[in-house]
């Protein structure tokens, strides 16, 4: 196989890219950064095994997810994508508190409005 | 045999099995005093290192730990453990499944808040309390969302697949997210 048709993984690993390369469908040659991140965090054999253990139809999604996680970890070596989870949880907690507050306010205002209506009818 | 054991005792060697951290036990090697894993992978928590090793590999974990300041290594280990756990539970989406789930929940909450805001607006009076609540309801854009902008297509397609989200929804223990 000519060097120009190697996938990004095999280029990075400086090896021949076989026709049944596990990485080739998910790490195209035009995006070397994608595999570089994955290789840095997981290593090629771990990623290869992860993909190998999955049904073919799920490998593309898995490769994308692994790439996102690796990219997050490269940018933030301490928390990786877990930072996102923590941030979202905090925001959800805040939003839920606000929603409870708003619904309580609606209930109070609603009952005031109802009282006013009844008072108006009595008159 | 006894002479050899005395010799080892004189040299300051402790019995290997009682002083090895979980990492060195799994890797079947001597746990040296400067072992990078020992402070974070205690011998009474063997599963923690086993999961991290399975997903990331010992040498990659060692490299990551070496690259972060010592005071941040515990948080690093805990976040790696969380990611590893998520990846083992969901080999396809890992932590990304959890993020997509939380994103969808956040969107639903924002919709509920918008509805609540509209209802409160019907009662809008010059009263400070209503205005204060309305101001509080102005939930700004999520920095978490903007950080994922580059991965927008992936998250959009994942979030829209409600069947998939329902599948992964039960997998994640968000109470175990490392505190930041």
């Amino acid at each position: 196989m000519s060097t120009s048709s190697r996938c990004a993984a095999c280029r990075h690993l400086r090896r021949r890219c076989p026709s049944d390369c596990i990485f080739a469908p998910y790490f195209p040659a035009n995006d070397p950064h994608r595999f570089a991140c994955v290789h840095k965090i997981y290593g090629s054999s771990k990623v290869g095994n992860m993909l190998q253990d999955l049904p073919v139809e799920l490998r593309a999604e898995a490769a994308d997810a692994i790439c996102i996680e690796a990219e997050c970890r490269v940018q933030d070596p301490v928390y990786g994508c877990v930072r996102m989870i923590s941030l979202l949880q905090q925001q959800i907690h805040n939003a839920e508190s606000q929603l409870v507050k708003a619904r309580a306010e609606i209930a109070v205002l609603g009952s005031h409005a109802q009282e006013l209506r009844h008072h108006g009818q009595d008159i | 045999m006894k002479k050899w054991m005395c010799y080892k005792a004189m040299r300051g060697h402790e019995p290997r099995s009682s002083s090895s951290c979980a990492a060195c036990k799994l890797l079947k090697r001597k746990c040296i005093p400067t072992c990078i894993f020992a402070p974070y992978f205690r011998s009474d928590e063997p599963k923690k290192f086993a999961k991290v090793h399975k997903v990331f590999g010992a040498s990659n974990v060692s490299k990551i730990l070496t690259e972060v300041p010592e005071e941040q290594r515990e948080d690093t280990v805990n976040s790696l453990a969380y990611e590893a756990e998520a990846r083992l539970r969901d080999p396809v989406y890992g932590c990304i499944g959890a993020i997509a789930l939380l994103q969808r929940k956040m969107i639903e909450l924002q919709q509920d808040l918008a509805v609540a805001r509209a209802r409160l607006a019907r009662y809008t009076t010059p009263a400070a309390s209503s205005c204060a609540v309305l101001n509080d309801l102005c939930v700004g854009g999520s920095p978490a969302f903007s950080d994922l902008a580059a991965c927008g297509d992936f998250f959009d397609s994942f979030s829209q697949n409600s069947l998939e989200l329902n599948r992964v929804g039960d997998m994640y223990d968000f109470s175990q997210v490392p505190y930041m």
Side-chain angles (χ1 to χ4, degrees):
Chain A
M1 184 164 286
S2 68
T3 55
S4 62
S5 59
R6 283 188 297 173
C7 71
C10 292
R11 276 199 180 175
H12 188 92
L13 299 169
R14 293 185 185 149
R15 67 182 196 192
R16 195 177 70 83
C17 190
S19 54
D20 60 348
C21 176
I22 187 75
F23 300 113
Y26 320 110
F27 297 98
N30 61 358
D31 191 357
H33 176 73
R34 185 173 149 97
F35 184 77
C37 283
V38 161
H39 180 64
K40 184 180 162 86
I41 301 303
Y42 297 100
S44 58
S45 59
K46 291 280 181 201
V47 175
N49 290 340
M50 280 189 229
L51 293 175
Q52 201 77 52
D53 289 343
L54 291 170
V56 172
E57 61 272 18
L58 293 175
R59 287 178 189 171
E61 297 267 285
D64 284 344
I66 288 166
C67 289
I68 293 172
E69 284 184 28
E71 177 83 46
C72 288
R73 184 61 65 173
V74 165
Q75 289 180 10
D76 182 353
V78 180
Y79 297 110
C81 66
V82 178
R83 181 184 291 277
M84 207 79 64
I85 293 175
S86 182
L87 275 174
L88 280 165
Q89 275 189 285
Q90 286 167 25
Q91 287 168 3
I92 284 169
H93 177 75
N94 292 342
E96 282 173 340
S97 301
Q98 289 173 2
L99 190 59
V100 164
K101 213 162 101 175
R103 285 177 175 164
E105 185 83 4
I106 288 168
V108 165
L109 290 171
S111 68
H112 280 166
Q114 208 162 10
E115 277 176 24
L116 284 171
R117 277 198 293 275
H118 285 151
H119 186 66
Q121 284 169 359
D122 290 343
I123 292 170
Chain B
M1 181 68 165
K2 277 190 182 171
K3 267 191 188 171
W4 179 79
M5 286 171 72
C6 286
Y7 174 74
K8 291 263 290 186
M10 280 164 56
R11 287 290 301 268
H13 288 280
E14 293 179 11
R16 185 181 299 172
S17 59
S18 65
S19 60
S20 285
C21 69
C24 292
K25 272 191 183 173
L26 187 82
L27 299 169
K28 291 179 182 153
R29 67 184 196 192
K30 185 174 170 203
C31 192
I32 58 175
T34 55
C35 174
I36 194 154
F37 299 119
Y40 319 108
F41 295 102
R42 297 193 319 262
S43 55
D44 60 348
E45 288 181 319
K47 286 185 183 173
K48 186 173 174 183
F49 183 77
K51 288 175 187 173
V52 167
H53 176 55
K54 190 164 168 65
V55 175
F56 294 99
S59 61
N60 289 328
V61 174
S62 174
K63 267 189 257 170
I64 293 170
L65 288 177
T66 309
E67 286 170 4
V68 303
E70 196 171 337
E71 61 271 19
Q72 291 186 302
R73 286 179 186 167
E74 187 165 3
D75 280 356
T76 304
V77 163
N78 289 338
S79 70
L80 285 169
Y82 187 86
E83 261 193 60
E85 172 95 45
R87 176 60 53 186
L88 291 171
R89 280 176 193 257
D90 184 352
V92 181
Y93 295 107
C95 265
I96 304 305
I99 292 172
L101 199 72
L102 290 170
Q103 254 189 321
R104 190 169 86 155
K105 189 164 182 185
M106 190 64 200
I107 290 169
E108 287 169 1
L109 273 169
Q110 287 181 322
Q111 289 168 349
D112 290 344
L113 275 167
V115 167
R117 185 169 61 177
R119 287 189 67 186
L120 269 176
R122 283 188 237 141
Y123 299 114
T124 300
T125 65
S129 61
S130 297
C131 290
V133 174
L134 278 175
N135 285 337
D136 287 348
L137 288 178
C138 293
V139 179
S142 156
F145 287 7
S146 61
D147 285 350
L148 289 169
C151 319
D153 290 344
F154 179 85
F155 281 97
D156 285 347
S157 66
F158 184 81
S159 294
Q160 282 163 15
N161 186 346
S162 59
L163 285 177
E164 194 58 41
L165 273 173
N166 289 339
R167 179 182 76 80
V168 302
D170 297 332
M171 289 188 191
Y172 299 101
D173 181 4
F174 294 116
S175 66
Q176 297 301 312
V177 172
Y179 175 75
M180 278 184 261

